[in-house]
Amino acid sequence: MKKYLSFFRLRFTMGLQYRAAALAGIVTQFTWGFMEVMMFRAFYRSDASAFPMSFSATASYVWLQQAFLAFFMVWMMENEIFDSIINGNIAYELCRPINLYNMWFSRSMATRLSRAVLRCFPVLGVAFFVPSPYGLEPPADFFHFALFLVTLVLGFAVTVSFCMLIYFFTFFTVSPQGLRILFTSLVEFFAGAVIPLPFFPENIQRIMEALPFAAMQNVSLRIFSGSMNEVQMQKAVALQVFWLLVLTAAGKLLCRFAEKKVTIQGG
Amino acid sequence: MITMEHVCKSYRIAKRNAGFLEACKALFHRQYETIHALNDVSFTIRDGEMVGYIGPNGAGKSSTIKILSGILTPDSGTVLVDGRIPYKNRRKHVQEIGVVFGQRSQLWWDVPVMDSFELLKDIYSIPKPLYRQNLEELTELLNLKELLRSPARQLSLGQRMRCEIAASLLHSPRILFLDEPTIGLDAVSKLAVREFILKRNKVHGTTVILTTHDMQDIEALSNRIILIGKGRILMDGTLEDIKRGNDNIDETIAELYRAYDI
């Protein structure tokens, strides 16, 4: 365990040293969040009752999503991992007494966490002071807040274990580009990154909520903004745990298979 | 002790001629060629031996090293390193070996070399006193003192290679695989690395297997030479066997390659 922790620590401190990237990220997240809130306002103006979530809940959803972008965006993958698979540097990782899956898992976690830590506070802070209903509304009570934190971590883990699948699929293709584009656009849509899931028609929504993608950002963001009732919350958390287990198991299996089949490219 | 018996490894390689038309053809009909990187390779290396593993480009040297270090699985044959099958109990196996791939880097690019070392300490679960002792010894012998605090990306190739070698030895491995360790080094660094490997072998009894194209490396380091070509072991003997009175080792080797048509 200690090896993975110290690896986590190294990646985390490494991530914290990229200041310019963090600053650029904060600016992007502000602009994007602001644009999205304005766009939703235009829709709500025409008929607010036609929407499943209140406008302030939607605004909170958007701001939280921007603040914790690094936790949930599948496109933020570790390029170094892809590079090492393509150019063969993975040879070195394979001659360490470590489990490749656990190592990459802790690495992805660390990178995402370091990015999120640098970016979330400014976004959360400012969004909190943006006047209602455009800003970030605090959750209804402490219970919702606590559950938000739990589901945030669960969703984060689901996202990372999904990315792990893509890393290991890369062992079997020449270039990771196709897989990345396919999966990232798919996930964006189904995870509620484009529009929140309640905005979809009900029958489609029911299917979408059972998929692993809904176990990523959807749950925690909606619990925070209070747009889930108790039964929904129970079901959502159970699904998160379920998908986390399934995705991790699948990833580990794939990892073992890939290790057996690996050829080191480039001599 | 290392034994390889009747080991074979082949790769399937997609081949086509150059040009647009050929590329279009390959869309529908792809031609594969099977390359036998290793074809019935057998040898035994005893503890504490220093073996030079030579052969022309593409002879199968790196494949052998990768099989011995547990990264690649052979198609057939048996491999035993100190009683372990490298690719079966990979994690246990790699704890006992050190590997340097001259063309790759194991140091983390953006952090000081020291950070990479500290991480390796945890990865290999090296006890603190042993780590301290090894680090001190390596720093002194490879003259790393000035380098440890700089990020790996700002080191020159030779400086980095010295750090790479140190990184592979922090956990006192019993066997050391060196895949072209002196590639791109200046004269001083080369000598330092050679001297260091010799010392390591003498003091710690480390088994060393070395692939290189630099015949002076071989001359300085190994008493035994294994020559491989087209995936087969062609010769297994001492430096004297190969030289046969000819003083220029490079010419002798080139002659040998020609004689074996590899």
Side-chain angles (χ1 to χ4, degrees), chain B residues 52-57 212-216 218-219 225-228 234-235 238-239 241-244 246-262:
Chain B
Y53 198 52
I54 58 171
N57 305 122
T212 182
H213 291 294
D214 187 332
M215 289 309 150
Q216 270 127 28
I218 300 274
E219 236 173 343
I225 292 172
I226 297 177
L227 172 68
I228 185 175
L234 299 172
M235 226 178 104
T238 63
L239 192 63
D241 291 344
I242 290 186
K243 267 182 155 179
R244 270 181 258 144
N246 195 339
D247 268 344
N248 188 328
I249 180 123
D250 268 321
E251 266 175 33
T252 329
I253 296 290
E255 227 164 79
L256 208 59
Y257 285 180
R258 264 181 243 130
Y260 280 113
D261 188 28
I262 49 177

Side-chain angles (χ1 to χ4, degrees), chain A residues 121-133:
Chain A
F121 294 112
V123 176
L124 287 178
V126 173
F128 198 71
F129 289 108
V130 170
S132 171

Side-chain angles (χ1 to χ4, degrees), chain A residues 2-11 13-14 17-18 80 84 87-100 102-103 107 174 255 259-267, chain B residues 9 11 62 66 69-73 87 90-92 94-95 97 99-106 108-111 115-116 118-125 153 164 167-168 171 179:
Chain A
K2 198 181 165 209
K3 17 185 122 164
Y4 306 111
L5 269 179
S6 60
F7 189 65
F8 183 88
R9 211 173 45 224
L10 179 80
R11 294 301 302 193
T13 41
M14 231 168 118
Q17 65 187 6
Y18 304 110
E80 271 178 50
S84 80
N87 64 25
N89 259 339
I90 191 176
Y92 263 128
E93 308 211 11
L94 285 171
C95 48
R96 307 253 179 257
I98 40 134
N99 180 305
L100 199 60
N102 296 352
M103 173 102 152
R107 168 194 201 137
V174 174
C255 166
E259 272 181 25
K260 287 255 147 60
K261 272 211 45 166
V262 66
T263 46
I264 305 295
Q265 304 189 28
Chain B
K9 175 83 190 171
Y11 303 105
S62 296
K66 278 168 198 154
S69 49
I71 300 170
L72 292 183
T73 314
Y87 50 90
R90 183 176 67 79
R91 279 169 69 182
K92 215 162 161 205
V94 292
Q95 179 77 38
I97 62 165
V99 190
V100 176
F101 296 111
Q103 317 172 28
R104 309 190 186 283
S105 179
Q106 60 179 322
W108 277 268
W109 204 236
D110 277 350
V111 296
D115 276 4
S116 292
E118 293 279 329
L119 180 62
L120 288 170
K121 169 180 146 247
D122 289 335
I123 284 181
Y124 285 99
S125 322
R153 67 182 135 89
E164 301 269 356
S168 299
H171 58 293
D179 196 356

Side-chain angles (χ1 to χ4, degrees), chain A residues 3 9 29 35 50 52 73 76 99-100 117 121 129 141-142 149-150 157 182 190 200-201 208-209 236 249 265:
Chain A
K3 17 185 122 164
R9 211 173 45 224
Q29 258 85 81
M35 266 167 39
M73 286 302 150
M76 278 191 190
N99 180 305
L100 199 60
V117 164
F121 294 112
F129 289 108
D141 49 33
F142 181 74
L149 289 181
V150 173
L182 177 73
F190 282 102
F200 285 93
M208 284 174 114
E209 279 186 340
Q265 304 189 28

